[in-house]
Amino acid sequence: MQPLENNLKIIEQSPFARIARWVLKSSNVAMVLGKTIHLSGVSKENFLRDTPWVAHELCHVRQFQEHGYLRFLWLYFVESLRVGYYNNKYEVEARLAGTKQTHLVRTQSKNPPAAQV
């Protein structure tokens, strides 16, 4: 498996993300298709500043890598039909990745690395 950073793309003002934004009734959306993060309602610069959100979307990139493009789309779709978007196990895993990143950022800001002499 290749590292997540290889060939990762970010597309601003994506029509796919605009549709997701409309469906989710959200002011901004990031969504992943394969190795591409699609954005709507948020700039690439602002998205990249939000490390928990980036961690969430990178988790979806990894899920695509693990399962394969079409298989993951199918699994995600079936899971959403079965339990809904919020309880979809792939969304739960991605939210957890974002939460872990939030905790890591908070921990690092409270305990900065000691200066080396």
Side-chain angles (χ1 to χ4, degrees), residues 9-12 39 42-49 54:
K9 292 184 215 169
I10 297 177
I11 298 176
E12 293 177 287
L39 304 176
V42 63
S43 69
K44 178 179 178 179
E45 182 181 358
N46 287 337
F47 168 72
L48 290 173
R49 279 192 204 128
V54 172

Side-chain angles (χ1 to χ4, degrees), residues 27-79:
S27 61
N28 53 42
V29 162
M31 64 172 285
V32 172
L33 292 172
K35 292 183 178 183
T36 304
I37 300 173
H38 295 261
L39 304 176
S40 180
V42 63
S43 69
K44 178 179 178 179
E45 182 181 358
N46 287 337
F47 168 72
L48 290 173
R49 279 192 204 128
D50 190 334
T51 56
W53 196 4
V54 172
H56 177 109
E57 299 309 328
L58 287 177
C59 180
H60 289 313
V61 172
R62 184 186 49 73
Q63 291 165 342
F64 268 99
Q65 278 189 312
E66 284 179 7
H67 298 290
Y69 192 92
L70 292 177
R71 183 166 184 258
F72 179 67
L73 287 176
W74 176 252
L75 292 170
Y76 187 97
F77 174 72
V78 169
E79 181 73 5

